[in-house]
Amino acid sequence: MALIVQKFGGTSVGTIERIQQVADKVKKFRENGDDIVVVVSAMSGETNRLIDLAKQASDGNPEPRELDMMVSTGEQVTIALLAMALINRGVPAVSYTGNQVRILTDSAFNKARILQIDDEKIRADLSAGRVVVVAGFQGVDEQGNITTLGRGGSDTTGVALAAALKADECQIYTDVDGVYTTDPRVVAQARRLEKITFEEMLEMASLGSKVLQIRSVEFAGKYNVPLRVLHSFQEGPGTLITLDDEESMEQPIISGIAFNRDEAKLTIRGVPDTPGVAFKILGPVSGANIEVDMIVQNVSHDNTTDFTFTVHRNDYQKALDVLKQTAEAIGAREVSGDTNIAKVSIVGVGMRSHAGVASRMFEALAKENINIQMISTSEIKISVVIEEKYLELAVRALHTAFELDAPARQGE
Ligand code: ADP
Ligand code: ASP
Ligand code: MG
């Protein structure tokens, strides 16, 4: 008998019919004799709807604590509906909010981190033969305030529960049948991966593939939780996220391509080139709580320098204001910005053992006449910033250049 944590995402519980289908599925697992803990998201679109309401009530700037109080209600609806549907099928079930389980988090509202999970209640219910249905995305801090874990956070609830309960597997059920070489909704030739390493999945998630929330992959890696992504309503093996990265001749150099339209670029030109210039520019940006992603500095011949960096698009206006003030203070020539950019990244542990990956990437983009504005690399990924309108073309060109759309690959 196994203990399985199953997480169902928003589209999988988006209607009553789907919730009934999920209940049928959980019932089947239960009849196999396995202990089941189910984590559900809010119905698809519900979290967006709630955030929108909160913005309307607060001139676009909701108080973070109250926002969490509100958006956590989306999941409270679906846990109860699923528990009802299970009970209706003769499957004993009970639903709990994050607070009731006691998923303890820090107090960083809207992006809280899980600190500890109390497994006592869940274990008692499992021993009594009940399916336990837990609300994803939410927790409670030391003071008893409701917190949420950031968009896509139900994945993290699922994995964290699996870690706390030492579950045999954490199954993430969604609207695609696994992790693909790239977003299958953008590239028709994308292929499902039989498996992908935690390390690669972490890069994919942090570079824009929202199939799993980054923190869920971090958790799974840290606690070695067997993690699988599957389709909610189609049979199939899905994709296993694994530690194993055994090298083989057949191993592809690149496992996947991630992309992200959420960034914006800022440039400050004609900055007097003196020691400490990067700090003078980026100090006030981080002082305003804005996270910087990519950075490029060009030295020019007249003892000035140009400095370009990217931030999340939501922070663009704030960053631009800060940068304008800095430009005045340090006597820079001009400040400009661009929100029509996108970041495309290739990811693969195979990169470690292959030379020439970057040039192959740049060649593929050059062939399509796509200009690269910024580049950043790390051991297992290369990212470029390009004009947003070329994003899909770039992803498709790279997918082909790295032979990801070729039919067979080892292990499949
Ligand atoms: P859920 O509501 O179940 O959590 P999400 O919308 O958060 O589902 O995540 C699933 C979506 O992730 C897919 O519909 C797909 O468009 C997108 N996605 C992005 N990159 C990938 C990828 N590499 N493989 C699979 N899906 C991806
Ligand atoms: N309902 C939350 C969201 O839409 C959490 C989740 O779906 O994982 O972000
Ligand atoms: Mg999700």
Side-chain angles (χ1 to χ4, degrees):
M1 193 178 71
L3 169 55
I4 305 174
V5 175
Q6 305 185 317
K7 178 258 172 179
F8 291 88
T11 40
S12 313
V13 294
T15 61
I16 291 293
E17 293 72 48
R18 294 230 168 117
I19 290 176
Q20 307 278 19
Q21 276 176 275
V22 168
D24 287 336
K25 188 172 185 114
V26 172
K27 182 178 181 195
K28 259 196 218 146
F29 272 91
R30 189 69 200 110
E31 284 170 351
N32 266 344
D34 295 328
D35 280 340
I36 308 289
V37 175
V38 187
V39 172
V40 285
S41 296
M43 289 174 143
S44 57
E46 180 62 6
T47 308
N48 286 344
R49 188 184 75 85
L50 293 170
I51 292 174
D52 196 51
L53 279 178
K55 284 187 175 159
Q56 287 180 43
S58 60
D59 273 340
N61 205 7
E63 224 286 314
R65 178 191 182 277
E66 302 311 323
L67 183 61
D68 279 355
M69 181 64 109
M70 181 177 185
V71 293
S72 65
T73 62
E75 274 73 10
Q76 191 167 339
V77 171
T78 46
I79 50 168
L81 289 172
L82 181 59
M84 289 170 199
L86 285 165
I87 293 165
N88 209 32
R89 281 164 175 71
V91 180
V94 59
S95 66
Y96 293 124
T97 63
N99 187 13
Q100 287 175 314
V101 171
R102 204 141 194 269
I103 297 180
L104 181 72
T105 71
D106 61 20
S107 303
F109 296 110
N110 316 157
K111 49 174 191 289
R113 277 181 181 272
I114 296 176
L115 301 175
Q116 198 189 321
I117 295 182
D118 201 342
D119 63 352
E120 211 173 301
K121 210 182 239 169
I122 297 179
R123 286 200 191 278
D125 282 306
L126 291 175
S127 326
R130 284 186 277 271
V131 169
V132 182
V133 186
V134 179
F137 180 52
Q138 54 179 265
V140 63
D141 73 2
E142 285 283 6
Q143 288 73 41
N145 299 300
I146 305 284
T147 55
T148 65
L149 310 177
R151 299 309 303 270
S154 300
D155 296 333
T156 303
T157 307
V159 177
L161 272 171
L165 294 163
K166 300 191 178 57
D168 295 286
E169 186 161 291
C170 180
Q171 302 172 342
I172 304 285
Y173 287 98
T174 183
D175 56 3
V176 282
D177 66 345
V179 177
Y180 276 65
T181 47
T182 192
D183 190 338
R185 300 195 193 286
V186 173
V187 177
Q189 301 92 316
R191 286 181 314 112
R192 183 180 57 82
L193 297 163
E194 198 69 25
K195 53 184 188 174
I196 182 168
T197 66
F198 284 119
E199 209 183 357
E200 290 170 319
M201 194 61 237
L202 198 57
E203 287 284 6
M204 291 282 280
S206 63
L207 294 166
S209 301
K210 66 164 188 168
V211 60
L212 286 174
Q213 199 200 31
I214 305 169
R215 283 185 190 165
S216 72
V217 188
E218 280 171 5
F219 247 103
K222 189 164 166 197
Y223 297 99
N224 203 6
V225 176
L227 180 63
R228 198 179 279 278
V229 176
L230 301 131
H231 197 290
S232 298
F233 307 118
Q234 290 168 14
E235 292 302 315
T239 299
L240 185 68
I241 325 293
T242 157
L243 272 180
D244 159 25
D245 62 346
E246 79 212 18
E247 299 277 333
S248 85
M249 294 301 285
E250 249 59 52
Q251 194 181 32
I253 303 170
I254 297 304
S255 294
I257 301 173
F259 53 85
N260 172 352
R261 301 173 203 266
D262 293 339
E263 291 191 18
K265 186 178 82 167
L266 295 109
T267 300
I268 178 165
R269 289 201 175 76
V271 182
D273 197 6
T274 53
V277 66
F279 175 65
K280 276 187 206 144
I281 294 167
L282 294 181
V285 176
S286 69
N289 243 330
I290 300 169
E291 233 176 273
V292 170
D293 181 22
M294 288 165 91
I295 303 170
V296 172
Q297 184 178 0
N298 296 319
V299 182
S300 58
H301 42 82
D302 60 352
N303 280 338
T304 67
T305 175
D306 297 345
F307 203 90
T308 301
F309 59 94
T310 62
V311 298
H312 195 284
R313 234 177 250 192
N314 291 345
D315 290 327
Y316 173 69
Q317 198 50 52
K318 201 158 106 186
L320 194 62
D321 294 343
V322 170
L323 200 59
K324 281 181 180 160
Q325 282 172 19
T326 306
E328 225 168 273
I330 64 176
R333 196 167 56 241
E334 62 166 355
V335 166
S336 61
D338 186 354
T339 52
N340 296 317
I341 59 155
K343 183 166 82 173
V344 183
S345 311
I346 58 175
V347 174
V349 289
M351 235 184 254
R352 289 197 180 112
S353 47
H354 287 84
V357 180
S359 65
R360 192 158 155 195
M361 178 184 198
F362 304 153
E363 184 188 12
L365 296 172
K367 269 193 192 148
E368 300 294 341
N369 264 324
I370 300 171
N371 190 36
I372 299 172
Q373 303 179 7
M374 298 173 89
I375 301 168
S376 97
T377 66
S378 75
E379 213 188 354
I380 65 161
K381 73 116 207 282
I382 304 170
S383 300
V384 297
V385 167
I386 59 170
E387 208 178 325
E388 186 179 2
K389 69 178 180 195
Y390 296 122
L391 176 60
E392 292 180 14
L393 177 62
V395 176
R396 268 187 267 118
L398 292 170
H399 203 267
T400 307
F402 285 98
E403 291 163 15
L404 292 175
D405 25 47
R409 95 175 229 183
Q410 215 205 14
E412 282 194 3

